[in-house]
Amino acid sequence: MARQYTLQRAPSAAGIHIDYAAELNEQQLAAVTASPGPLLVIAGAGSGKTRTLTYRVAYLLENGVDPRNILLLTFTNKAARQMLDRVANLLPVDASGLWGGTFHSIGNRMLRRHGSVLGYSSAFTILDREDQKDLIETVVAGAGINPKEIRFPKGDVLADIFSFTVNTERTIEELLAEKFPYFLPLIEQIKDVHVRYERKKKATNSMDFDDLLEKTLRMLKEHEEVADFYRRKFQFILVDEYQDTNKIQADFIDTLAAEHRNVMVVGDDAQSIYSWRGANFKNILAFPERYPDAQVFKIELNYRSVPEILSVANAAIAPNVEQFKKELSATRETKEVKPAVVALNDGSEQAQFIAQRILDLRDEGIELDEIAILYRAHYHAVELQLELSRRGIPYQITSGVRFFEQAHIKDVAAFIRFVANPRDEVAFKRMIKLLPGIGNKSADNLWRLFESSLDPVAGGVDPGGEGVSQLREASAGAAGVTAPGYNFGERLRPMQVGARSKKSWQQLADTLDEIAPGGVPNPPSEMITSVVEAIYDDYAKANFANYELRREDLNQLAAFARQFKDVDEFLSQLALISNVDAEAAPNKTADTESVNLSSVHQAKGLEYHTVFVIWLTDGMFPSTRSLETREAIEEERRLFYVAVTRARDELYLTYPHMRLNAGYGDMFQRPSRFLKEIPAQLLEDWQISRR
């Protein structure tokens, strides 16, 4: 029989002990000092989740647990470093042996040490996204797939498909049926590419980002000696933001915790909002089922928001059926100012109200950096960006690039720019490079051919330098009208293009004639709709994994364009917005104040003095796509809860009565069901009037 011999940890040089009761509130203290075993800590918004995790690590170290036996899993390496730095400030111990970092960084460490059991050397290459895309496209080219015959998904889209199947542990068939139904006819080719891609990575001793999880878990499941080593090593496992884990991450945790079962997961089920990228809400809800002996702790004291905001937050999340019920309570004193609910006529008036209120707040001493405008989808901020630019209010987009600077917006705008000004070389090249088989060199050659065909009679520019606008005035008598009789199709159809591009080139010619018949541009909104339906929709499906979101953006662009009857006015406004934005905030510095515009998803974890949550109408927030199932509505409600709990002092909930809609006229909007679920006495109704 083997003898068990326990190594005792050497005592620390300094006899410092933390007074946990003095440092933590009662709820935090209970979680931090809990006995070993599975622990679920439900930490509400603003309740000190990071503090609880940090003190738990310190508590383990102070009670003799070797740092080498602790694993801390976070969603960013920065979060892990910050927690360990705080631990070092609390205790005079060397915790360098503690493994802390993201799931992927931990997987990388394990594979570097033991990946040989899977046939990889320790010097394997990690492919970045660009490398991954290039390798997939190389595989596609070698698979005998003829892009002349089918619009096959590009490398970026295939990378997203393969990634989602790994992180959700679902089949390609299941994924395509749910998220990419338009690729179902290509399923056999996609599966073949996936098999070839896996072989190619193995042959080149390479792994992509998702392999750092998938290969690690496979190694642990298929090689018991490796799994046994890490199970014994990691006696205590702590996991941050557990509500955001996906299926493979939860399996990874359960596999490592199988022996000691000392796993502490911390999160807030009410802030689980990332199912669209593979996060599995069931992980946190089902934790007590997977660990029946788990102790469950709730931390409900909020240090961020005033009581009036927390009352709204509690009411907002209450209707959800699937949740751990909790009631946030405030540590801050009341301000006796209720959150405001503000009804506006339309999106334009909503933008005007917000811009004016921001200026009022600035006069009251609230810095612009402390103000955030949150929305469900990027396109909800179109009118807002225009209004802020007009008033010279600097802003930054924390949810990505500004609306009018997004690739798909600029792609479609290029068609309009070109028919408005056939001498626009940049627009011409951007437009034709959307077609299969046309790259930079082909675009240069085609532009030279097209440019040589231009003449004053046809609406071009003569060698003497007559501008298109002068020509329009002389021949058409109105801005925004190319010379009557100009036929784009006649100019483009005879031009020689490669066999791969021939069909799409003819489609381009037909589309240009459709949006500017006889050289006279249609209204901008109609032009956008025609371009999207005839050409860009197919391109977007093949090139963007988030096709549906981009299609929503383009629908909104068409709706936005309805207010402009003249193509020149529309294009001028787009140019002015971009130029004003660039001048107002070319680069945000420490000395530059700017309002924060963000999707709610991007704002999670942040907080502001004042928050505006906009477009709170059914179909916008919650989104139309979420109205079909209870599960989807509940995630939307959690998203609304996250938005509300970003505010510390002031909260404004706004909704327009009317919405511009491309092709259907103005649409009446119902207030969001989430607003109706909040008792009226918790809100202050603001009545808006005009002078």
Side-chain angles (χ1 to χ4, degrees), residues 40 242-251 254 265 278-288 290 324:
L40 170 61
Y242 188 70
Q243 78 281 346
D244 294 334
T245 55
N246 56 38
K247 182 67 167 62
I248 197 170
Q249 288 166 335
D251 287 350
D254 291 347
V265 300
N280 192 335
F281 175 61
K282 301 295 184 182
N283 288 346
I284 192 166
L285 279 186
F287 187 85
R290 297 203 311 282
F324 293 108

Side-chain angles (χ1 to χ4, degrees), residues 336-526:
E336 298 183 354
V337 176
K338 295 179 180 179
V341 59
V342 190
L344 291 311
N345 288 331
D346 53 27
S348 178
E349 187 173 88
Q350 177 179 244
Q352 292 170 34
F353 164 74
I354 292 170
Q356 183 172 315
R357 187 64 191 133
I358 286 172
L359 294 175
D360 292 342
L361 290 164
R362 186 68 187 88
D363 290 342
E364 294 169 14
I366 308 303
E367 295 186 358
L368 296 182
D369 288 345
E370 282 292 328
I371 301 172
I373 304 163
L374 306 183
Y375 35 80
R376 173 63 182 84
H378 201 48
Y379 69 84
H380 292 178
V382 176
E383 296 98 341
L384 191 59
Q385 290 184 45
L386 179 61
E387 186 65 26
L388 294 177
S389 298
R390 283 172 176 163
R391 299 204 188 201
I393 300 174
Y395 64 91
Q396 63 168 339
I397 306 285
T398 56
S399 56
V401 297
R402 295 163 187 259
F403 182 84
F404 296 105
E405 294 170 5
Q406 296 177 105
H408 51 296
I409 300 297
K410 295 178 76 171
D411 287 344
V412 172
F415 289 78
I416 302 174
R417 286 172 51 192
F418 175 66
V419 298
N421 174 15
R423 291 287 290 181
D424 190 332
E425 179 180 353
V426 173
F428 177 86
K429 289 181 176 178
R430 186 177 191 115
M431 175 179 69
I432 66 172
K433 283 194 290 186
L434 298 173
L435 308 180
I438 297 181
N440 290 330
K441 186 176 180 180
S442 299
D444 286 338
N445 293 334
L446 289 166
W447 168 250
R448 283 195 293 270
L449 284 171
F450 179 79
E451 186 180 35
S452 67
S453 75
L454 295 175
D455 59 70
V457 175
V461 178
D462 65 13
E466 287 291 323
V468 171
S469 60
Q470 294 172 304
L471 179 65
R472 284 179 182 165
E473 291 174 8
S475 61
V481 180
T482 309
Y486 190 97
N487 189 300
F488 287 99
E490 289 180 4
R491 298 301 174 110
L492 293 179
R493 289 188 186 91
M495 296 171 67
Q496 295 300 309
V497 295
R500 183 182 172 191
S501 310
K502 197 167 185 179
K503 183 178 179 181
S504 58
W505 187 260
Q506 297 302 314
Q507 178 65 60
L508 172 64
D510 293 343
T511 301
L512 291 174
D513 280 344
E514 179 184 337
I515 65 176
V520 181
N522 287 333
S525 182
E526 294 179 19

Side-chain angles (χ1 to χ4, degrees), residues 26-65:
E26 289 184 10
Q27 295 173 340
Q28 294 169 339
L29 179 65
V32 165
T33 60
S35 57
L39 308 174
L40 170 61
V41 181
I42 304 297
S47 66
K49 167 183 62 66
T50 301
R51 186 177 186 83
T52 302
L53 261 179
T54 301
Y55 274 82
R56 177 64 175 180
V57 173
Y59 182 79
L60 293 175
L61 294 173
E62 198 175 51
N63 281 273
V65 178

Side-chain angles (χ1 to χ4, degrees), residues 379 403 406 408 549-557:
Y379 69 84
F403 182 84
Q406 296 177 105
H408 51 296
L549 294 177
R550 293 182 188 249
R551 182 59 194 262
E552 284 182 354
D553 283 349
L554 293 169
N555 291 342
Q556 182 60 28
L557 180 68

